Amino acid sequence: MKLKELLCGIDILENTADPELEISGVSYDSRQTKAGDLFVAITGYETDGHRFIPMAREKDAACVLCQQKPEGDGPYVLVSDSRAALARLGQNWFGDPAASMTMVGVTGTNGKTTTTYLLKDILEKCLGAKVGLIGTNQNMIGDEVLHTERTTPESFELQALFRAMADAGCTHVVMEVSSHALCLQRVAGITFAVGLFTNLSQDHLDFHETMENYCDAKALLFRQSVKGVYNADDPWAERLTKDAPCPLLSFGELSGDLRAANIHLAVDGVSFDASCDGETIPVHVGIPGGFTVYNALGVLAAARALGVPLADSAKVLATSAGVKGRVEVVPVPWDYTILIDYAVTPDAIENVLSTVRGFAQGRVVILFGCGGDRDRGKRPKMGRIAAEMADFVIVTSDNPRTEDPDFIISEILPGLEGTETPYVVEPDRVKAIYYAMDHAQPKDIIILAGKGHETYQIIDHEKRHLDEREVVAAYISEHKERA
């Protein structure tokens, strides 16, 4: 592709390159740069891509795109925001595939993954659509599963994924849109037919610094949505929606255009009546927990905004399966229950404990840790919620990354101190799970919180295999005489 075609739609401050220059690829990691590439220098968390312009040139990059005038010889394109430019480069390189599909974006602290799976199910069964899915658990093209590294891929990879989806015949895409993705321009240039907001609670303050900034980042989704759907019961709803330029449809238990009433929570899921514009329909979802009501309402509202009648969506929800790592039951041959849940925030810990409290016949035991190199302020809060809502707490490691696991735990423990809830500390997560199973009592419910769908643990910069289902299976195998 010629450089002038690749740069179409990008505001250029200065260009020393020949517009007719042939570009054979686009890269933003100098380690992956090939001869003939346009190298894009972007600023990341830990380093500045402008430092690697010499390396990209050594690898015969045809041209450099940057937001700081580079040193040395070689053609360059200077822009005000290289991240925004990278997003547009992706659109141009792959032919703007998102424009040919109906895009749905889901943002919020909790519930994004379950929401996207349920909505995908509705669109496939009610509209006969082929749906692409992008999110925390995995990416999907119809039924094909693709590996994912982050909730929302970098913009260029995202456009490549859209291209694959469009080429495979996808008519719709349902994707999780993280606050990082919105701030870092990963979804720049995409028009969402519907943008959906689930809720907001403390998370990622290492990046956003304040809850107000976090909320404002989420609100960016509505600026590029044709229609907006939001949780009217959320405390941040007013701030989130005050400058929304698109028409909005709200949902909630206490307020909203679409409301839930006659709510019944049970071990096998939730049931309620959904009402909107004088129409009331019964809804059942086979995923336990009060938060499932809000997830279902958001899905019903988003589907309605896409033209799917409430009654049709409700029929699909009644048959939808749960999502891996979300209140997932792991079978054991003894008289207690193990649940795996991806609860990594104070609100998520509270939600899963509240859910389990609703049907627990014995003790509620929770095992959890906190991620390293992430928001430290939530650590004691998670400890306090665990102590207040569980009968026994096991504090362990999550993904410590570059932090000392013992230090992370030391910042969780103040939340448990001064309470009467017994707890133990075991930094080794496998040993902690074994401890929970060694000391399980009849009718206990043991919640393994924090890993969910993840099958690894990040220690320093290394991903080490750790699948909690395999840990439980190994324990069972080692204790066959008890089974």
Side-chain angles (χ1 to χ4, degrees):
M1 180 181 287
K2 293 185 183 299
L3 181 63
K4 65 180 182 182
E5 298 169 338
L6 192 54
L7 297 177
C8 184
I10 296 174
D11 292 330
I12 298 170
L13 302 179
E14 187 178 342
N15 183 6
T16 67
D18 180 358
E20 299 296 323
L21 183 65
E22 282 291 340
I23 302 296
S24 57
V26 175
S27 63
Y28 59 91
D29 184 338
S30 60
R31 295 167 297 185
Q32 307 298 324
T33 300
K34 298 179 178 62
D37 278 3
L38 173 65
F39 175 71
V40 183
I42 59 176
T43 301
Y45 280 128
E46 300 177 356
T47 189
D48 185 346
H50 292 80
R51 291 175 49 202
F52 301 99
I53 289 175
M55 185 182 297
R57 283 174 168 166
E58 285 176 9
K59 292 189 172 184
D60 294 324
C63 183
V64 169
L65 185 144
C66 48
Q67 62 187 53
Q68 300 168 19
K69 193 169 180 177
E71 296 180 359
D73 297 328
Y76 64 87
V77 178
L78 189 66
V79 298
S80 59
D81 187 338
S82 54
R83 282 192 175 276
L86 180 63
R88 186 55 188 256
L89 290 171
Q91 286 181 289
N92 293 341
W93 185 264
F94 293 104
D96 197 9
S100 67
M101 300 179 288
T102 301
M103 308 295 296
V104 180
V106 181
T107 198
T109 307
N110 299 309
K112 297 187 296 295
T113 298
T114 299
T115 296
T116 55
Y117 275 77
L118 294 177
L119 190 53
K120 179 177 187 289
D121 206 16
I122 287 173
L123 296 177
E124 288 173 340
K125 292 175 180 175
C126 291
L127 300 182
K130 184 169 185 177
V131 182
L133 180 142
I134 300 172
T136 307
N137 272 22
Q138 60 192 18
N139 298 330
M140 299 180 72
I141 300 179
D143 295 328
E144 180 188 358
V145 175
L146 307 174
H147 175 69
T148 182
E149 286 289 341
R150 52 168 60 140
T151 299
T152 311
E154 187 54 80
S155 59
F156 198 80
E157 281 68 33
L158 187 60
Q159 293 294 332
L161 191 53
F162 291 156
R163 180 76 272 159
M165 290 174 173
D167 289 348
C170 288
T171 56
H172 293 68
V173 174
V174 181
M175 64 178 292
E176 297 180 45
V177 182
S178 67
S179 57
H180 290 69
L182 289 160
C183 287
L184 299 177
Q185 306 278 4
R186 292 178 194 154
V187 293
I190 301 169
T191 298
F192 294 97
V194 175
L196 167 60
F197 167 75
T198 60
N199 52 62
L200 194 76
S201 62
Q202 184 173 337
D203 199 13
H204 303 306
L205 296 192
D206 55 307
F207 180 81
H208 297 290
E209 297 184 347
T210 68
M211 286 297 294
E212 287 75 16
N213 290 343
Y214 186 26
C215 178
D216 294 345
K218 294 293 190 187
L220 293 172
L221 179 63
F222 289 155
R223 296 187 190 175
Q224 52 194 100
S225 297
V226 177
K227 297 178 182 177
V229 172
Y230 72 97
N231 178 354
D233 291 347
D234 190 89
W236 292 91
E238 183 177 354
R239 182 183 181 98
L240 183 101
T241 59
K242 73 178 170 112
D243 294 321
C246 60
L248 300 172
L249 176 66
S250 59
F251 63 88
E253 295 178 12
L254 306 176
S255 58
D257 303 308
L258 173 62
R259 294 197 191 186
N262 303 319
I263 298 169
H264 178 66
L265 308 180
V267 179
D268 66 342
V270 302
S271 298
F272 61 92
D273 292 329
S275 299
C276 187
D277 292 336
E279 178 187 14
T280 299
I281 51 108
V283 178
H284 175 78
V285 187
I287 305 172
F291 54 87
T292 297
V293 177
Y294 281 101
N295 288 342
L297 285 171
V299 167
L300 290 168
R304 191 173 190 273
L306 291 169
V308 181
L310 288 180
D312 292 353
S313 294
K315 288 178 183 176
V316 176
L317 290 181
T319 62
S320 291
V323 180
K324 182 179 180 181
R326 269 63 176 180
V327 200
E328 176 187 350
V329 177
V330 181
V332 295
W334 301 294
D335 187 22
Y336 61 86
T337 301
I338 292 181
L339 300 176
I340 291 178
D341 190 78
Y342 186 64
V344 294
T345 67
D347 187 55
I349 289 281
E350 184 175 356
N351 281 338
V352 71
L353 284 169
S354 177
T355 293
V356 171
R357 276 280 172 222
F359 55 77
Q361 297 179 353
R363 297 185 309 163
V364 175
V365 178
I366 186 164
L367 177 154
F368 79 102
C370 290
D373 304 332
R374 297 293 187 269
D375 180 10
R376 292 170 57 188
K378 68 182 181 182
R379 293 171 184 175
K381 294 180 180 180
M382 291 172 67
R384 175 63 61 173
I385 291 168
E388 290 177 346
M389 300 186 68
D391 298 302
F392 193 85
V393 178
I394 302 171
V395 184
T396 186
S397 293
D398 193 282
N399 290 323
R401 299 184 177 87
T402 65
E403 284 195 73
D404 180 351
D406 291 328
F407 175 74
I408 296 172
I409 289 171
S410 75
E411 295 200 322
I412 296 172
L413 294 181
L416 290 103
E417 292 168 358
T419 70
E420 297 182 358
T421 304
Y423 68 89
V424 298
V425 173
E426 174 48 74
D428 185 307
R429 195 170 181 101
V430 173
K431 290 181 180 178
I433 294 171
Y434 271 49
Y435 179 93
M437 298 179 74
D438 278 339
H439 294 83
Q441 300 175 12
K443 306 299 182 186
D444 276 358
I445 296 180
I446 300 170
I447 305 165
L448 308 183
K451 300 305 294 175
H453 62 283
E454 293 179 352
T455 56
Y456 57 83
Q457 189 173 34
I458 304 174
I459 299 175
D460 199 2
H461 294 288
E462 179 186 352
K463 276 189 177 181
R464 301 183 186 180
H465 183 75
L466 176 61
D467 187 330
E468 293 184 326
R469 298 153 197 82
E470 294 175 4
V471 175
V472 172
Y475 182 94
I476 294 170
S477 178
E478 293 171 19
H479 296 78
K480 290 178 181 178
E481 74 282 355
R482 289 173 45 197

